[in-house]
Amino acid sequence: MAIDTETAARVAKLARIKVEDSDLPALAGEFNAILGFIEQLNEVDVSGIEPMTSVTPMRLKRRVDAVTDGDQQDKIRANAPDFREGFFAVPKVVE
Amino acid sequence: MSRLWLCRKATKLAIGDAMLDLTYETPKPKVIAGAKHDWELVIGMEVHAQISSKAKLFSGASTKFGAEPNANVAFVDAAMPGMLPVINDFCIEQAVRTGLGLKAQINLTSAFDRKNYFYPDLPQGYQISQLYHPIVGEGEVLVDMEPGVARLVRVERIHIEQDAGKSIHDMDPNMSFVDLNRTGVALMEIVSRPDIRGPEEAAAYVIKLRQILRYLGTCDGNMQNGNLRADVNVSVCLPGQYEKYYETQDFSHLGTRCEIKNMNSMRFIQQAIDVEAKRQISILESGGKVVQETRLYDPDKGETRSMRSKEEAHDYRYFPDPDLLPLVIEQGWVDDIAASLPELPDAKRARFISNFGLSEYDASVLTAETASADFFEQVAAEHDGKIAANWVINELFGRLKKDDLEITSSPVSPAQLAGVIGLIISGDISGKIAKDLFEIVYTEGGDPAQIVEDRGMKQVTDTGAIEAAVDQVIADNPAQVEKAKANPKLAGWFVGQVMKATGGKANPKAVNQLVAAKLGL
């Protein structure tokens, strides 16, 4: 699968990362190098093998259903550029 | 071709140790007459049901509705860097319980994926969901339309996912305000096959699903608070096409669908389907093509419109969430949950019909909520089921409705209502007095038998006393006696006078007999 500049631009847009048009060919080239590297894995025959999801045999950690967190608006808002009347304020998004 | 809805279908239900056959007829699909020919509707639904947990799916923040903005937010929900999700055990159990309640396949291994998109109410930039390996597979919902008519709607899957936060757009002209209290709350997305064939069926499907969820206790079904929302996929096809799809499961026999997002009212669901189907028909009949897209229903304008912004971001680039290992559950745990399931609506209704001799309608009314069914069973335990049903439905429900009360806050207890009914059956009070007694118990409380005793409401069955009253009325009204002899129908007037004279306490049957005998009719 080859990534062209148009696809590279689309991926950048979906990721909300600004990429100048002049940088797109280089970006597409990097994508292709990465994908080409990963494609080598296709040479391995994995039929009948369960996908490995963790290097160590671990079980998904679970929590009990209890309220142990919250009521910390001051901390939650610490990084927010704009916070008013208890809400995060963001540039208007209307459907 | 139409064997799908012409045949009667049967499903077996376990009632105690016995199996009960439920036979039902499949409803006819809704047909809309276009300018050129008839069209049929094909509808699939995605219902988002909030899991009734105390804490969120991956954090320890509260799910309580109506908190101060951004009070129920953990660092995980706010997507602070380095925070990791830890799954809530109870939420998994509720999804399994729901799957079992819908007779669905439970997948012992499921996994979480990231659905990537940017929106201010989703700080992570992705929603954790289960695209590739949902926890629940194929199930079913029997959707009741009217007595003896129902449709078995197939459920494709149920997966667990996070809810997003809430954006408020009308507090400031230039800014949107975001409240993350809802962010990360656990949802079950229940996805149906396109087996729903009209707006009424769609509403009935949501009603039935809600009823089952409430019986199971996995979702409170509060649509007003948004705890149950539906996305509706609507397409139209020519008559006969749906049957081809059903036989082959090949979607190419069906029309292109549009998805109407986020509806939380039965009325709007029906209106939106109707409006959207008509829009698609007019496009098709004028030679156009329906474009697959996401649309919003505007109840004020009575139209659906395209959510173009949503379309642009439709490339969700799903991938397995690297923060979460696959979710593996044990068969033994699933079996324990299965053993703890309550009796579900279909089984309860069937049992009420067979054990208490109720009509399907009465049984449906009584089983709509577990609380009503429990109330009825306590009353019926002591008396005839039909009389108990009659009193619970007509008197109690009617009275509660007048005061806008739920059965759970009924001023009359099952024991009190059983007491009132017992007094009718024993002949202590007449049916008419019983209604007065019910009202006293409802407004003032107290033991019905004691009230009857204290207030002298006992029916007079002593024939001597009734006879005296009949004699008195006859003696006082010689002209009426002559008329009644000529026209026996007028005997009713005497009965009325005697009842009046005895304050309604005379046994009407005894009065009737005595009046007839004394007048020589």
Side-chain angles (χ1 to χ4, degrees):
Chain A
M1 171 178 173
I3 303 286
D4 54 15
T5 52
E6 200 181 312
T7 309
R10 181 173 157 73
V11 171
K13 190 185 174 209
L14 286 170
R16 299 295 190 278
I17 294 171
K18 187 176 178 183
V19 179
E20 299 298 339
D21 285 353
S22 55
D23 293 335
L24 285 173
L27 182 65
E30 282 178 32
F31 277 147
N32 283 320
I34 295 166
L35 290 175
F37 174 71
I38 292 169
E39 259 166 31
Q40 294 179 60
L41 294 175
N42 288 341
E43 293 165 17
V44 186
D45 180 10
V46 290
S47 51
I49 297 171
E50 282 284 304
M52 187 178 75
T53 48
S54 172
V55 188
T56 50
M58 278 173 34
R59 204 186 141 91
L60 179 67
K61 193 173 154 51
R62 304 185 191 179
R63 67 164 75 235
V64 294
D65 184 34
V67 177
T68 56
D69 212 338
D71 285 322
Q72 46 173 353
Q73 285 100 320
D74 51 330
K75 288 178 185 157
I76 292 297
R77 61 168 293 180
N79 297 333
D82 196 351
F83 196 88
R84 301 179 207 175
E85 295 170 60
F87 297 93
F88 294 93
V90 300
K92 196 136 201 142
V93 275
V94 180
E95 198 52 68
Chain B
M1 128 209 139
S2 47
R3 78 188 163 85
L4 258 176
W5 59 78
L6 284 183
C7 66
R8 289 177 76 81
K9 300 202 172 185
T11 184
K12 280 189 195 297
L13 267 178
I15 309 293
D17 295 330
M19 292 295 280
L20 192 90
D21 279 320
L22 280 189
T23 312
Y24 58 91
E25 208 157 309
T26 308
K28 287 204 166 62
K30 163 113 176 176
V31 174
I32 295 181
K36 294 179 179 162
H37 43 71
D38 285 351
W39 296 87
E40 284 182 8
L41 273 63
V42 177
I43 300 157
M45 295 190 99
E46 293 162 22
V47 172
H48 292 86
Q50 181 180 323
I51 295 176
S52 55
S53 60
K54 295 190 193 81
K56 294 184 179 181
L57 180 55
F58 294 114
S59 86
S62 170
T63 60
K64 207 170 173 119
F65 184 82
E68 288 288 306
N70 292 302
N72 298 343
V73 184
F75 288 152
V76 179
D77 310 316
M80 292 293 180
M83 301 311 297
L84 289 173
V86 180
I87 197 163
N88 183 329
D89 207 28
F90 180 80
C91 294
I92 307 168
E93 184 185 335
Q94 302 318 301
V96 171
R97 177 179 290 272
T98 302
L100 292 169
L102 302 184
K103 299 178 189 159
Q105 156 84 33
I106 305 299
N107 297 322
L108 297 181
T109 301
S110 63
F112 292 94
D113 304 296
R114 289 185 181 181
K115 176 181 181 177
N116 300 281
Y117 67 97
F118 281 98
Y119 206 75
D121 59 19
L122 186 81
Q124 288 170 153
Y126 57 85
Q127 177 192 35
I128 304 178
S129 182
Q130 296 189 303
L131 178 71
Y132 301 111
H133 304 286
I135 186 161
V136 178
E138 301 251 350
E140 62 186 42
V141 177
L142 186 65
V143 179
D144 318 288
M145 297 308 295
E146 52 188 278
V149 180
R151 188 184 297 282
L152 195 65
V153 172
R154 296 169 299 164
V155 168
E156 182 186 324
R157 57 187 281 157
I158 303 174
H159 59 259
I160 309 173
E161 63 183 24
Q162 298 175 298
D163 203 350
K166 192 168 118 189
S167 305
I168 300 162
H169 304 294
D170 56 5
M171 284 178 70
D172 186 278
N174 305 312
M175 308 297 272
S176 288
F177 283 22
V178 179
D179 176 7
L180 299 182
N181 281 349
R182 218 179 179 115
T183 305
V185 166
L187 300 178
M188 295 177 280
E189 181 170 331
I190 304 163
V191 184
S192 88
R193 298 268 182 207
D195 289 352
I196 300 162
R197 306 301 317 278
E200 295 80 15
E201 282 186 33
Y205 170 78
V206 178
I207 289 170
K208 185 62 178 281
L209 194 55
R210 181 177 180 275
Q211 184 191 24
I212 295 171
L213 295 172
R214 283 175 59 83
Y215 264 64
L216 292 166
T218 57
C219 168
D220 70 12
N222 187 332
M223 297 184 82
Q224 216 158 8
N225 291 356
N227 297 354
L228 193 77
R229 286 116 64 187
D231 298 343
V232 188
N233 287 290
V234 180
S235 69
V236 296
C237 67
L238 296 178
Q241 288 300 109
Y242 182 79
E243 287 68 30
K244 287 185 194 163
Y245 151 73
Y246 204 92
E247 248 160 57
T248 58
Q249 293 301 306
D250 177 355
F251 285 97
S252 69
H253 294 294
L254 300 179
T256 304
R257 68 192 153 90
C258 287
E259 181 180 13
I260 313 164
K261 277 269 178 211
N262 229 1
M263 282 183 292
N264 63 349
S265 125
M266 305 289 181
R267 193 159 57 94
F268 290 163
I269 288 172
Q270 298 186 59
Q271 288 172 358
I273 291 171
D274 206 49
V275 163
E276 176 59 18
K278 283 175 180 154
R279 184 189 72 89
Q280 293 182 12
I281 290 168
S282 87
I283 291 175
L284 293 168
E285 292 205 333
S286 59
K289 269 191 173 163
V290 175
V291 181
Q292 184 174 339
E293 62 181 354
T294 309
R295 300 179 71 84
L296 264 188
Y297 177 61
D298 181 339
D300 295 330
K301 291 185 182 155
E303 61 178 31
T304 64
R305 57 167 182 271
S306 180
M307 290 172 76
R308 286 201 184 79
S309 58
K310 196 97 189 175
E311 292 311 305
E312 273 178 28
H314 227 83
D315 189 345
Y316 292 128
R317 294 149 295 143
Y318 279 98
F319 64 88
D321 192 317
D323 287 343
L324 291 158
L325 287 164
L327 173 57
V328 180
I329 54 178
E330 321 295 333
Q331 185 60 49
W333 190 61
V334 174
D335 294 342
D336 287 348
I337 299 171
S340 76
L341 285 194
E343 182 182 38
L344 291 168
D346 291 335
K348 202 183 273 293
R349 192 181 51 180
R351 183 168 61 82
F352 279 16
I353 293 169
S354 73
N355 287 13
F356 297 111
L358 303 189
S359 68
E360 189 173 333
Y361 177 81
D362 282 358
S364 296
V365 172
L366 290 169
T367 55
E369 299 280 343
T370 335
S372 326
D374 290 348
F375 194 108
F376 162 75
E377 284 210 74
Q378 289 178 56
V379 177
E382 297 188 35
H383 303 297
D384 175 70
K386 278 187 191 171
I387 299 178
N390 188 24
W391 272 84
V392 171
I393 295 173
N394 296 323
E395 303 304 324
L396 181 64
F397 286 180
R399 192 64 182 82
L400 291 172
K401 197 170 180 188
K402 216 162 143 189
D403 286 348
D404 208 13
L405 285 179
E406 296 292 326
I407 185 85
T408 43
S409 41
S410 166
V412 176
S413 72
Q416 283 172 314
L417 185 55
V420 173
I421 298 172
L423 290 164
I424 309 171
I425 292 173
S426 66
D428 282 335
I429 56 171
S430 66
K432 188 181 166 299
I433 292 284
K435 292 190 182 184
D436 297 341
L437 174 61
F438 172 81
E439 184 62 24
I440 294 169
V441 174
Y442 184 95
T443 48
E444 302 172 25
D447 171 33
Q450 195 60 47
I451 294 169
V452 165
E453 199 63 48
D454 293 349
R455 306 194 187 188
M457 296 168 83
K458 251 200 175 138
Q459 182 164 251
V460 180
T461 39
D462 166 15
T463 27
I466 300 175
E467 200 171 349
V470 173
D471 285 342
Q472 190 63 44
V473 173
I474 287 174
D476 290 349
N477 300 282
Q480 282 294 109
V481 172
E482 288 314 308
K483 279 188 201 165
K485 280 182 173 159
N487 181 5
K489 279 184 189 160
L490 291 178
W493 182 84
F494 285 91
V495 174
Q497 292 300 307
V498 173
M499 294 305 286
K500 209 164 149 189
T502 57
K505 287 181 287 182
N507 181 321
K509 207 171 143 194
V511 176
N512 265 318
Q513 283 170 350
L514 278 166
V515 166
K518 297 264 174 190
L519 291 175
L521 301 174

